[in-house]
Amino acid sequence: MEAMEDDSLDLKDDHNHNYCASSSSSSKVRTYLSSQLSDVTTVPQSACPPVPGGEPGTRRGKLWSGTTGSKFMDSDSGSESSEVSETDCTAPPAAVEGKFSLDSTSKFLLNAMAVEDYRKNHWPNLEKAIDRLLIQNPTDHISVSYAQIYSYVYKCVCQQHSELLYNDLTLKITNHLQQVSTHLQASPPEDFIENFNVALTQYTASLQCIVPVFMYLNKFYIESKLNRDLREDLMKLFADHVAEIHVNTLMPLLLKAHSMPFQVQPSTMASVVKGLHSLRPDWALLAPALFSGFIPQINPPAVESLLPDYAAHDQKLQLELSMNGFPRSVSPKASVSHSHSLNTDTRF
């Protein structure tokens, strides 16, 4: 019994129940394994047979390089199968190049599949929703799933399709605005101001729905990479493709309507003039008197040396009003001061 106990392996158990052999037993096991693997460690490089159906020298597994040699790892189990010398077979450079070529090809195919999925699934649904939002009237109620649109936009941004989505969105809205411009060209002069106001109001209302659902595109692509804002870009599209084309036709009609009170509704006049100023502030220079009636600080600041001219202009205005049947209920001095404060920006 004592001899058997001496010959048996001395096992020790640590606190994690990991069993290890003692040094004397380990030396015995190491001697035994060395005798069994002596034939394997002396295999020459030329003895490696070619793998059927593959390149010579390729084997199913991985070679790990170490300080004492190379270790062959089984590719299925990941366990160490044998220890061989450094003269063992190694994969040729062509195999490594083939691996990188396969990886790049796989990435290209995955990217192509992602773009195809965007074209077939994501963008068509977004395009339908954008169409419905662009053609709606401010008083109409259109059933649109904003959560679903928001989800499509979020997925497109996460799949690195931000640039593609932005280009498709701007192209879609540009085509719509070109149709709006064509429709305005066919409007008669007496309806042109009203039709322009409808187009501008409807487009502005549509952006109040489109911009929020494209928030992720705006935040993670337009603002961060382009240093712009989505709403400003879309309003610029209206200025370029609609307002700028028709401003030369619209401005004389606005001046005529402004000289004839109530020919056009005051709310319509205010909406169009303020809209033009928000699109291009420089357009106020085309008709300062018109824009100053709806937007403050359009006229230049008052100059103290021109006060007599301002007073003469106001007296002339009071005379014209009295001749047209508007009685004066205040003193001339007070009326002159009141009229001057309404028509001049008194900044010294």
Side-chain angles (χ1 to χ4, degrees):
M1 293 294 292
E2 294 180 356
M4 294 178 61
E5 292 177 355
D6 293 337
D7 295 335
S8 63
L9 295 175
D10 186 11
L11 299 178
K12 296 180 180 180
D13 184 12
D14 60 5
H15 63 282
N16 289 325
H17 302 289
N18 297 321
Y19 297 93
C20 59
S22 62
S23 58
S24 60
S25 300
S26 299
S27 61
K28 296 178 181 179
V29 174
R30 192 177 299 109
T31 304
Y32 174 77
L33 291 177
S34 299
S35 62
Q36 295 293 326
L37 298 176
S38 58
D39 295 334
V40 178
T41 56
T42 57
V43 175
Q45 183 174 359
S46 60
C48 295
V51 179
E55 293 292 333
T58 58
R59 306 194 312 179
R60 185 186 180 191
K62 300 178 181 179
L63 289 174
W64 285 9
S65 299
T67 56
T68 59
S70 301
K71 297 182 180 179
F72 183 81
M73 300 298 295
D74 185 80
S75 60
D76 293 335
S77 62
S79 61
E80 184 178 343
S81 61
S82 63
E83 186 173 300
V84 295
S85 63
E86 293 182 355
T87 58
D88 196 4
C89 301
T90 58
V96 179
E97 294 176 359
K99 181 179 182 300
F100 285 108
S101 176
L102 180 62
D103 291 342
S104 60
T105 304
S106 300
K107 291 180 180 179
F108 175 78
L109 293 176
L110 289 175
N111 186 40
M113 292 173 61
V115 173
E116 183 180 2
D117 181 63
Y118 166 83
R119 289 297 184 191
K120 289 184 177 180
N121 300 322
H122 293 79
W123 174 244
N125 294 320
L126 289 172
E127 187 177 20
K128 293 178 183 177
I130 293 171
D131 281 330
R132 301 183 67 182
L133 293 175
L134 287 174
I135 64 176
Q136 70 172 342
N137 293 321
T139 57
D140 294 343
H141 174 72
I142 297 180
S143 177
V144 176
S145 177
Y146 293 100
Q148 189 174 13
I149 302 174
Y150 186 88
S151 176
Y152 285 132
V153 174
Y154 176 79
K155 291 179 182 178
C156 292
V157 174
C158 292
Q159 294 177 3
Q160 306 298 321
H161 296 320
S162 299
E163 182 178 1
L164 187 61
L165 179 60
Y166 176 76
N167 293 335
D168 287 340
L169 175 63
T170 53
L171 179 61
K172 177 66 180 178
I173 294 182
T174 298
N175 293 334
H176 168 75
L177 293 177
Q178 289 174 350
Q179 296 177 1
V180 172
S181 179
T182 303
H183 177 72
L184 284 175
Q185 287 179 350
S187 299
E190 59 272 14
D191 298 331
F192 192 87
I193 297 177
E194 185 66 32
N195 291 339
F196 183 88
N197 181 59
V198 170
L200 177 60
T201 304
Q202 181 176 343
Y203 183 74
T204 305
S206 300
L207 294 190
Q208 293 179 355
C209 302
I210 294 175
V211 172
V213 296
F214 281 84
M215 181 192 69
Y216 268 93
L217 178 66
N218 186 38
K219 182 177 181 181
F220 293 101
Y221 177 72
I222 302 175
E223 291 182 353
S224 61
K225 293 186 177 181
L226 303 182
N227 296 321
R228 298 200 302 265
D229 180 74
L230 177 60
R231 190 180 188 281
E232 294 179 357
D233 284 1
L234 298 183
M235 289 301 297
K236 186 177 183 299
L237 291 179
F238 188 91
D240 295 339
H241 298 283
V242 179
E244 187 175 8
I245 296 176
H246 301 286
V247 67
N248 294 328
T249 303
L250 183 63
M251 201 63 66
L253 296 174
L254 289 173
L255 291 172
K256 181 181 179 180
H258 186 62
S259 63
M260 303 175 63
F262 300 104
Q263 182 182 5
V264 179
Q265 290 293 330
S267 59
T268 302
M269 289 287 296
S271 176
V272 172
V273 172
K274 291 180 179 179
L276 290 175
H277 185 264
S278 64
L279 293 173
R280 296 279 178 83
D282 294 341
W283 283 337
L285 300 177
L286 300 176
L290 172 65
F291 281 81
S292 63
F294 301 95
I295 302 172
Q297 299 183 359
I298 293 297
N299 289 327
V303 182
E304 186 177 0
S305 61
L306 296 178
L307 286 178
D309 296 336
Y310 300 151
H313 179 270
D314 290 342
Q315 288 176 359
K316 181 181 178 181
L317 177 62
Q318 291 291 331
L319 180 60
E320 292 177 353
L321 291 175
S322 63
M323 292 178 62
N324 291 326
F326 293 93
R328 293 187 297 177
S329 58
V330 295
S331 62
K333 184 177 180 180
S335 64
V336 168
S337 177
H338 179 68
S339 176
H340 178 72
S341 64
L342 291 177
N343 292 276
T344 307
D345 184 11
T346 56
R347 290 179 294 168
F348 296 97

